[in-house]
Amino acid sequence: MTAGLETPAAGARPDPRRCANAIRALAMDAVEKAKSGHPGMPMGMADVATVLFQRFVKFDASRPDWPDRDRFVLSAGHGSMLLYALLYLLGYPGMGRKELENFRQFGSPTAGHPEYGHAAGIETTTGPLGQGLATAVGMAIAERLAAARFGDDLVDHFTYVVAGDGCLMEGVSHEAIDLAGHLKLSKLVVLWDDNAISIDGPTSLATSTDQIARFAAAGWHVAHIDGHDPDAVARALAIAQADPRPSLIGCRTLIGFGSPGKQGKESCHGAPLGEAEIALAREALGWSYPPFELPDDVLDAWRAAGRRGAPAREAWESRRAASPKGAAFEAFLKGDVAAEVAAPLAAFRATLAAEKPKLATRKSSEMALGVINAATQATIGGSADLTHSNFTLTKGMGEVAPEEFSGRYIHYGVREFGMAAAMNGIALHGGFVPYGGTFLVFSDYARGAIRLSALMGLGVVYVLTHDSIGLGEDGPTHQPVEHLAALRAMPNLNVFRPADAIETAECWELALASRKTPSILSLSRQNLPTLDRPIGENLSAKGAYVLREPAGARDATLLATGSEVEIALAAADILLAEGIKTAVVSMPSWELFEAQPEAYREEVLGAAPRVAVEAAVRLGWDRWIGERGAFIGMSGFGASAPAAELYNHFGITAKAVAETARALVKA
Amino acid sequence: MTAGLETPAAGARPDPRRCANAIRALAMDAVEKAKSGHPGMPMGMADVATVLFQRFVKFDASRPDWPDRDRFVLSAGHGSMLLYALLYLLGYPGMGRKELENFRQFGSPTAGHPEYGHAAGIETTTGPLGQGLATAVGMAIAERLAAARFGDDLVDHFTYVVAGDGCLMEGVSHEAIDLAGHLKLSKLVVLWDDNAISIDGPTSLATSTDQIARFAAAGWHVAHIDGHDPDAVARALAIAQADPRPSLIGCRTLIGFGSPGKQGKESCHGAPLGEAEIALAREALGWSYPPFELPDDVLDAWRAAGRRGAPAREAWESRRAASPKGAAFEAFLKGDVAAEVAAPLAAFRATLAAEKPKLATRKSSEMALGVINAATQATIGGSADLTHSNFTLTKGMGEVAPEEFSGRYIHYGVREFGMAAAMNGIALHGGFVPYGGTFLVFSDYARGAIRLSALMGLGVVYVLTHDSIGLGEDGPTHQPVEHLAALRAMPNLNVFRPADAIETAECWELALASRKTPSILSLSRQNLPTLDRPIGENLSAKGAYVLREPAGARDATLLATGSEVEIALAAADILLAEGIKTAVVSMPSWELFEAQPEAYREEVLGAAPRVAVEAAVRLGWDRWIGERGAFIGMSGFGASAPAAELYNHFGITAKAVAETARALVKA
């Protein structure tokens, strides 16, 4: 634990209310100019934010990429003007008055909700409620993991979160606070904007939970204060910093503080205050400056606060230079995991090609992970309580536990959404490459966070096993049929469905090489044979490839993914025996195939009639089979029975594929 | 509140442990025979279930459809053998020894997880953890809503839930318990199987939450007892029944109770015990009967318990016959909401055709709902804290509040998943037709429950507004681009995207007529003109139709949905001016169009080149545009800016559509 930074004596500090009013004015003015946005939250939390940033957060505005900076997450992302105003006031690069004036306009970094990568100081994308908090839990975990490796002299920072009533109503908040309390993430501090207002009106319309008691039940240190009393905020933060548990500080605030007609009401939550009301608010706040203009004393005070952490940052850089672990830490942050795993994975693929094991791809994935986790220290594994079904834990990883962060494997609990959000936080924190497992069907539970992985461009890897009716007896609640399509629909997400052990290793290699696009690995529960193919090149890298080409011009082409490639090959055998020259194409990744040159795609798909087979719904397949093509798969939900019976019942068989192809060829 | 049913004097009761052992034996044997399943939970909770069903649950096994029966939800659905064993022991129709012997086999009602509709006594589908609890909250709400209308003499029953550690780790459990505590659902009783084991091992691997304190913080009555002490269970249930709050009874149990080698360990959670261990367990339990065989005294005791509620059911039937509200209650349960709204909606459509308003479809939806909610009392509206954005509240509905259930509108709070699951519970309870609103993008949060609506075949209506980049400034976190595809991928779900006020009314009509398939209404934030078309018939009923047919043979066909139909029409104007004879097809529902005869589909789609336009991803559109076709839409995430700028930036304009069509026609 570190104490707060040295702060100037109270007498030297500018009036905090006046500093806070600068936030309020900027928020009112920017929302008004955009004719769109949320002024209430920034105005309500301005006092808290002022104390937090002027006295507690460790940062240097001139170096927003300082690795040991405290992280700040605005989980209530609709209050984005709070963050933009802070970044401007503190002097972050790239956040000037122009950017505030262009709030919510095309191409401006001041988007409606904070977007990661759009401006320095935006640590994560927020807006979908609850996820900022859950992502912050991942950041706080990453901080402890890195500290365990590189020492507290290099890694020792807090993660601060501003969360709203909506964040705390969302289910993912439960998953996040339960995990954080369990792991005793003492350097996570959540400031709850307890304004008792949500969009529909007072929160008493929909909730009666005692949030303070709720967080205490999850093992948190808790406090409840007046969010407009700077001294109370400072005292609470100092206590929170020192407590060995994660901290919740409930800050009672007035939404829209300063707006005489609208403060305390839902009407100031998500709409401009209007010119007349803004004039009244300026008067009430004693703020006589024109829109976007700031008095020198206030701006000076803020800019000084923005420089406040520079000595600490410089001291840290000296420590890093002197530390025996400094170089390793640098290398960790710049890590090239793809390079680390390339040779071992290639060797592993050669072994597989020689040994031809018959394995479930989830099991092949475990073997690939064994190779990967031995070759790199960057990976942080985990599962949402399906470790021995997802096969995500490999030998010697070490398991993360409360106050024990030297391991690399996290038991995320039955918390798919919280796991995915935490993985985003771990990835954002830098250096680590998180992967986590659940059943493919429960990607539904995590979908909100998978979307943020994709939107932020984070190379998180989702290990999603039991990927079809092939899981058998657990039945339709556990059998994904629409999930491949639903995931393929998401932009900037690579969905991999490998057909055997070799493709599984290839897809892992591609996922680890993909640092700006998250990956889905869709893996079977049932065993699959290792298929014959040329050895050496990563064939999955082109997304689809011809696994078997008949002699002479094709009569038919069979397209398949994952566990159905075996079926396509068996169908091709039937057809070839009849003299129908049939090619088989394996398509482990539609996205990578779509990215190939058209000539390659045409060569692979061929001009002959095509039949696709996948134990999932048809949606999307028409892109590949064309108007003359056919599809063999699922048209509804699955059923509970042994897997082989289900494949027969639903007609996903070599015989059915052969019949369909034969009919097309002869048509 | 009602007290528990009259129970026989303690002396007359069969030994509860011996009765519970019947459950244990059946669970061990069925899982062993299936070579698959979860014996641990039924064995651990057998004592609790015995007390619950023999002494507290109000039901009559011979009449599982008795409307005033208590509801029982096995939220920990993997423990399905607990439920199947109970239904068999109690004498429910259709659940014989054969069904237990065919556990997890194709076509048997004893699926891996309980599937609604597969057997009498299965009140909801469970397995996806946490959702049973959240669905039960909906059932308990429905009970109060119905009681408020028809009186406690006709509607007065409890909802009992068995939830596991996993259910309570899932985020949706928070949404559910917060809502239940807020609404003071005093007749909801949750029995938590506190066995401290989950799949990965002891729950201490991943959670430290004090669940008792957590539920207390949410306003629940709480108790913590020894789940193997029948008297303690009975005492706790009696107190829970009398408490004015919802109740959590933490039942400390030993998973796999009775298995000497595996009890208390995760190894008995999800796999057969094995023959040798079962033999040891039989010995330990003093249970000497062959697999699936029961001694007469135990079966007699259980069957007597199954008949225990018959007098209460008969008394209830007499009350219903005598009640002035009896006939209305019957009519309510048999309700034909489609018939009730047909004429008023037809008249409303005629008015719209005459007045041609320019409205956002979310606003048109509000107008349609005004008509609907006046024409039927069956609808129960709500929103996940976006009431005045979704426009889901209409005049005179009355708002549901703690201890006030005469209204018809529920403020679900910022809880999309919990809302969706609660709507499933309301629909399952009978009579009511729930609809609820959020933004389309946040369907991701609710997707797990939307899937259960579809799997169970419940006619729930999801009102999903702000359905594209047309929402503008809120930016990519709030702009759905992949959600239409992701929802269209789901079996048994109708996705409606109406183009104007008239289609909106039509789609509402179709959604309300669809009692076995849930509906998505995808609605715009931005205003859309009322389009010219023939008046009278519900044109959306066929899923797609020709909105504008050019004179002479078509040169091109434009396909569009929702807000992009206006763009397609403008593109057609451009093309027609150039002499390119262009048809425009509106496709409010792919699913309904797919269900039409091929001849109709071909007539609508036409033989000319097709261009589709939808402000969403392409996935799935190839089915309709064919190999020669083109698609205008989104290829990635949106951005934060005013809507008109975004449409221009992303090239979703009449000009772009016309250019693309022109190029195809001239190719």
Side-chain angles (χ1 to χ4, degrees):
Chain A
M1 296 296 300
T2 48
L5 297 181
E6 292 300 310
T7 55
R13 274 182 224 125
D15 175 43
R17 173 57 51 82
R18 202 166 140 77
C19 287
N21 286 344
I23 297 173
R24 295 190 169 97
L26 292 171
M28 287 192 296
D29 294 342
V31 171
E32 188 67 22
K33 184 156 190 295
K35 301 198 190 324
S36 154
H38 300 76
M41 188 281 213
M43 295 176 76
M45 282 296 279
D47 295 316
V48 171
T50 298
V51 174
L52 181 67
F53 273 86
Q54 292 196 350
R55 298 175 56 188
F56 288 87
V57 181
K58 179 175 81 170
F59 70 103
D60 175 353
S62 73
R63 289 287 301 275
D65 59 346
W66 174 22
D68 199 34
R69 70 192 180 279
D70 287 347
R71 305 306 198 262
F72 174 75
V73 173
L74 185 72
S75 190
H78 53 275
S80 57
M81 269 309 302
L82 178 70
L83 180 56
Y84 304 146
L86 284 165
L87 296 178
Y88 167 63
L89 291 166
L90 293 164
Y92 273 78
M95 189 61 73
R97 173 172 165 167
K98 177 168 68 78
E99 281 69 30
L100 300 190
E101 292 186 7
N102 282 324
F103 180 52
R104 293 184 156 233
Q105 303 310 304
F106 192 83
S108 171
T110 48
H113 294 79
E115 301 286 342
Y116 174 69
H118 287 214
I122 301 176
E123 301 281 7
T124 181
T125 293
T126 51
L129 293 177
Q131 280 200 70
L133 169 56
T135 304
V137 169
M139 294 178 179
I141 290 172
E143 193 267 352
R144 286 293 84 201
L145 292 170
R149 291 190 189 186
F150 302 105
D152 279 0
D153 56 333
L154 294 187
V155 183
D156 183 9
H157 53 266
F158 282 86
T159 302
Y160 295 100
V161 178
V162 166
D165 294 302
C167 292
L168 301 196
M169 278 196 253
E170 288 287 0
V172 70
S173 68
H174 168 60
E175 303 184 16
I177 72 170
D178 192 358
L179 184 60
H182 173 67
L183 291 176
K184 295 190 170 43
L185 299 176
S186 60
K187 293 160 81 180
L188 176 66
V189 179
V190 174
L191 298 143
W192 164 38
D193 179 17
D194 176 18
N195 63 28
I197 290 290
S198 68
I199 292 176
D200 274 11
T203 52
S204 60
L205 283 173
T207 182
S208 304
T209 287
D210 177 343
Q211 295 288 357
I212 300 298
R214 174 193 172 207
F215 276 75
W220 288 51
H221 159 69
V222 293
H224 211 178
I225 60 163
D226 174 357
H228 300 299
D229 175 350
D231 292 336
V233 173
R235 273 195 307 274
L237 281 167
I239 293 169
Q241 284 189 334
D243 198 278
R245 297 162 292 179
S247 292
L248 173 79
I249 304 174
C251 306
R252 280 185 305 269
T253 68
L254 207 54
I255 190 170
F257 182 98
S259 159
K262 297 193 175 182
Q263 66 184 11
K265 297 177 187 162
E266 64 269 28
S267 56
C268 68
H269 165 82
L273 297 181
E275 273 184 37
E277 183 65 22
I278 288 176
L280 293 173
R282 280 192 140 73
E283 202 176 311
L285 294 168
W287 191 264
S288 55
Y289 317 99
F292 300 103
E293 285 193 16
L294 301 169
D296 286 346
D297 65 318
V298 169
L299 188 57
D300 288 350
W302 274 110
R303 291 287 155 91
R307 291 185 299 269
R308 183 177 49 92
R313 195 255 308 159
E314 286 158 10
W316 179 87
E317 283 176 357
S318 302
R319 286 203 302 281
R320 181 189 51 182
S323 168
K325 293 184 175 170
F329 183 63
E330 284 293 283
F332 161 74
L333 291 178
K334 289 182 190 144
D336 185 350
V337 66
E340 292 177 293
V341 302
L345 276 181
F348 174 60
R349 284 199 275 121
T351 308
L352 291 171
E355 296 182 356
K356 291 188 171 296
K358 182 162 182 168
L359 294 170
T361 50
R362 63 177 173 145
K363 193 75 191 167
S364 307
S365 169
E366 182 187 44
M367 292 170 67
L369 275 171
V371 173
I372 291 162
N373 291 333
T376 178
Q377 290 293 308
T379 43
I380 300 292
S383 168
D385 196 44
L386 288 168
T387 294
H388 308 299
S389 297
N390 303 141
F391 293 135
T392 35
L393 175 61
T394 66
K395 221 173 129 178
M397 288 189 90
E399 299 179 34
V400 170
E403 295 169 71
E404 173 49 62
F405 289 86
S406 63
R408 294 165 61 193
Y409 193 81
I410 300 173
H411 290 285
Y412 285 106
V414 189
R415 306 185 185 104
E416 299 79 10
F417 196 0
M419 172 177 76
M423 290 202 291
N424 286 340
I426 292 170
L428 286 162
H429 193 269
F432 295 115
V433 177
Y435 69 84
T438 184
F439 290 163
L440 175 55
V441 80
F442 298 128
S443 62
D444 280 347
Y445 275 47
R447 202 170 157 88
I450 297 172
R451 188 171 205 259
L452 284 191
S453 308
L455 180 58
M456 289 193 273
L458 305 176
V460 170
V461 185
Y462 293 92
V463 182
L464 303 180
T465 69
H466 295 61
D467 73 346
S468 74
I469 53 167
L471 66 85
E473 292 88 344
D474 273 348
T477 53
H478 285 54
Q479 290 162 355
V481 295
E482 72 275 30
H483 299 75
L484 289 168
L487 291 163
R488 285 168 179 154
M490 198 178 283
N492 195 39
L493 177 67
N494 287 334
V495 179
F496 294 102
R497 191 164 189 251
D500 69 356
I502 294 177
E503 280 193 10
T504 303
E506 290 175 343
C507 293
W508 260 115
E509 192 174 322
L510 295 165
L512 292 177
S514 171
R515 296 296 83 226
K516 299 285 184 193
T517 297
S519 298
I520 300 288
L521 294 177
S522 168
L523 302 171
S524 75
R525 175 179 187 243
Q526 72 271 35
N527 286 339
L528 301 173
T530 300
L531 308 172
D532 291 318
R533 88 267 274 160
I535 296 166
E537 192 189 349
N538 183 329
L539 295 168
S540 300
K542 289 185 174 168
Y545 62 96
V546 181
L547 186 63
R548 187 189 292 178
E549 187 75 78
R554 291 187 200 174
D555 296 318
T557 300
L558 307 181
L559 313 175
T561 75
S563 45
E564 285 72 67
V565 173
E566 179 185 14
I567 292 171
L569 287 166
D573 287 341
I574 296 172
L575 293 163
L576 285 165
E578 298 169 12
I580 299 172
K581 297 189 286 294
T582 307
V584 176
V585 171
S586 179
M587 300 188 74
S589 167
W590 289 15
E591 296 80 14
L592 298 190
F593 186 55
E594 186 74 79
Q596 299 305 309
E598 192 176 347
Y600 177 76
R601 292 205 308 266
E602 285 181 359
E603 181 194 323
V604 168
L605 295 173
R610 295 170 217 140
V611 178
V613 52
E614 184 169 69
V617 297
R618 177 182 183 131
L619 195 98
W621 272 106
D622 290 86
R623 171 95 178 105
W624 309 118
I625 58 178
E627 274 170 359
R628 287 180 308 154
F631 175 73
I632 300 283
M634 299 292 291
S635 59
F637 292 107
S640 172
E645 278 185 60
L646 293 174
Y647 272 88
N648 279 323
H649 172 74
F650 290 110
I652 305 173
T653 62
K655 188 162 162 263
V657 174
E659 271 172 17
T660 303
R662 190 185 301 121
L664 284 185
V665 170
K666 301 202 167 160
Chain B
M1 296 295 298
T2 49
L5 296 181
E6 292 301 310
T7 55
R13 273 182 225 125
D15 175 44
R17 174 57 52 81
R18 201 165 141 76
C19 286
N21 286 344
I23 297 174
R24 295 190 169 98
L26 292 171
M28 289 193 296
D29 294 342
V31 171
E32 188 67 22
K33 184 155 190 299
K35 302 200 190 321
S36 154
H38 300 77
M41 188 282 214
M43 295 176 76
M45 282 296 277
D47 295 316
V48 170
T50 298
V51 174
L52 180 66
F53 274 86
Q54 292 196 349
R55 297 176 57 187
F56 288 87
V57 182
K58 179 176 79 172
F59 70 105
D60 176 353
S62 72
R63 288 287 301 276
D65 60 346
W66 173 22
D68 199 34
R69 71 191 179 278
D70 287 349
R71 303 308 198 263
F72 174 75
V73 173
L74 185 73
S75 189
H78 52 276
S80 55
M81 267 310 302
L82 178 69
L83 181 55
Y84 303 146
L86 284 165
L87 297 179
Y88 167 62
L89 291 166
L90 293 163
Y92 273 77
M95 189 61 74
R97 174 171 164 168
K98 177 168 69 78
E99 282 68 31
L100 299 190
E101 292 187 7
N102 283 325
F103 180 51
R104 292 182 156 235
Q105 303 310 303
F106 191 82
S108 171
T110 48
H113 294 79
E115 301 286 342
Y116 174 68
H118 287 212
I122 301 175
E123 301 280 7
T124 180
T125 293
T126 52
L129 293 177
Q131 282 200 67
L133 170 55
T135 304
V137 170
M139 293 179 182
I141 290 172
E143 192 266 353
R144 286 294 82 201
L145 292 171
R149 291 189 189 185
F150 302 103
D152 279 358
D153 55 334
L154 294 187
V155 184
D156 183 8
H157 53 265
F158 282 86
T159 301
Y160 295 100
V161 179
V162 165
D165 293 302
C167 291
L168 301 195
M169 278 196 251
E170 288 288 0
V172 70
S173 69
H174 169 59
E175 302 183 17
I177 73 171
D178 192 357
L179 183 60
H182 174 67
L183 290 176
K184 297 192 171 39
L185 299 175
S186 60
K187 294 161 82 181
L188 176 66
V189 178
V190 174
L191 297 143
W192 164 38
D193 179 16
D194 177 18
N195 63 28
I197 290 290
S198 68
I199 292 176
D200 274 11
T203 53
S204 60
L205 283 173
T207 182
S208 303
T209 287
D210 177 343
Q211 294 288 357
I212 300 298
R214 174 194 173 207
F215 277 75
W220 287 51
H221 160 68
V222 292
H224 211 179
I225 60 164
D226 175 356
H228 299 300
D229 175 349
D231 291 336
V233 174
R235 273 194 307 274
L237 281 166
I239 293 168
Q241 284 190 334
D243 199 278
R245 297 162 292 179
S247 292
L248 173 79
I249 304 174
C251 306
R252 281 186 304 270
T253 66
L254 207 55
I255 190 171
F257 182 97
S259 160
K262 299 194 173 179
Q263 67 184 11
K265 296 178 187 162
E266 64 269 27
S267 56
C268 69
H269 165 82
L273 297 182
E275 272 184 36
E277 183 63 22
I278 288 176
L280 293 173
R282 280 194 141 72
E283 202 176 311
L285 294 168
W287 190 264
S288 55
Y289 316 100
F292 301 104
E293 284 192 18
L294 300 170
D296 285 347
D297 65 316
V298 169
L299 188 57
D300 288 350
W302 274 111
R303 291 288 155 90
R307 291 185 299 269
R308 184 177 48 92
R313 194 255 306 158
E314 284 158 13
W316 179 87
E317 282 177 358
S318 300
R319 286 202 303 280
R320 181 188 51 184
S323 167
K325 292 183 175 171
F329 183 62
E330 285 292 281
F332 161 73
L333 291 177
K334 290 183 188 143
D336 184 351
V337 67
E340 290 177 295
V341 302
L345 276 180
F348 174 59
R349 284 199 274 119
T351 308
L352 292 171
E355 295 181 358
K356 292 185 172 295
K358 183 163 183 169
L359 294 170
T361 49
R362 63 177 173 143
K363 194 75 191 167
S364 308
S365 168
E366 182 187 44
M367 292 170 67
L369 275 172
V371 173
I372 291 162
N373 291 333
T376 178
Q377 291 293 307
T379 44
I380 300 292
S383 168
D385 196 43
L386 288 168
T387 294
H388 308 298
S389 297
N390 303 141
F391 294 135
T392 34
L393 175 61
T394 65
K395 217 171 132 180
M397 286 189 91
E399 300 181 33
V400 170
E403 296 169 69
E404 172 48 64
F405 289 87
S406 63
R408 293 166 60 193
Y409 192 81
I410 300 173
H411 291 284
Y412 285 106
V414 189
R415 305 184 186 107
E416 300 79 9
F417 196 178
M419 172 177 75
M423 289 201 291
N424 286 340
I426 293 170
L428 285 163
H429 192 269
F432 295 116
V433 177
Y435 69 85
T438 184
F439 289 163
L440 175 57
V441 81
F442 297 128
S443 62
D444 280 348
Y445 275 47
R447 201 170 159 89
I450 297 172
R451 187 171 207 261
L452 284 192
S453 307
L455 180 56
M456 290 194 271
L458 304 176
V460 169
V461 185
Y462 293 92
V463 183
L464 302 180
T465 70
H466 295 60
D467 74 345
S468 75
I469 54 168
L471 67 84
E473 292 88 345
D474 273 346
T477 53
H478 284 56
Q479 290 162 356
V481 294
E482 73 276 29
H483 298 75
L484 289 169
L487 291 164
R488 285 168 179 155
M490 197 177 285
N492 195 39
L493 177 66
N494 287 334
V495 179
F496 294 101
R497 190 163 188 251
D500 70 354
I502 293 177
E503 279 194 10
T504 303
E506 290 175 342
C507 292
W508 261 114
E509 192 173 322
L510 295 165
L512 292 177
S514 171
R515 296 295 84 225
K516 298 286 185 191
T517 298
S519 298
I520 300 288
L521 294 177
S522 167
L523 302 171
S524 77
R525 176 177 188 241
Q526 72 270 37
N527 285 341
L528 302 173
T530 300
L531 308 172
D532 290 318
R533 90 265 273 158
I535 296 167
E537 194 189 348
N538 183 329
L539 295 167
S540 299
K542 289 185 174 169
Y545 62 94
V546 182
L547 186 61
R548 188 188 293 178
E549 186 75 77
R554 292 186 199 173
D555 296 319
T557 300
L558 307 181
L559 312 175
T561 75
S563 45
E564 285 73 68
V565 173
E566 179 185 14
I567 292 171
L569 286 166
D573 288 341
I574 297 172
L575 293 163
L576 285 165
E578 298 169 13
I580 298 173
K581 295 189 288 294
T582 307
V584 176
V585 171
S586 179
M587 299 187 74
S589 166
W590 289 15
E591 296 81 13
L592 297 190
F593 186 54
E594 186 74 80
Q596 298 306 309
E598 193 177 345
Y600 177 75
R601 293 205 307 265
E602 285 181 359
E603 181 195 322
V604 168
L605 296 173
R610 295 170 217 141
V611 178
V613 52
E614 183 169 70
V617 298
R618 177 183 183 131
L619 195 96
W621 272 106
D622 289 86
R623 170 96 179 102
W624 309 119
I625 59 179
E627 275 171 357
R628 289 181 305 157
F631 174 73
I632 300 283
M634 300 292 290
S635 58
F637 292 108
S640 172
E645 278 185 60
L646 292 175
Y647 271 88
N648 280 324
H649 172 76
F650 291 109
I652 304 173
T653 61
K655 186 160 163 266
V657 174
E659 272 172 17
T660 303
R662 188 184 305 117
L664 284 186
V665 170
K666 301 202 169 158

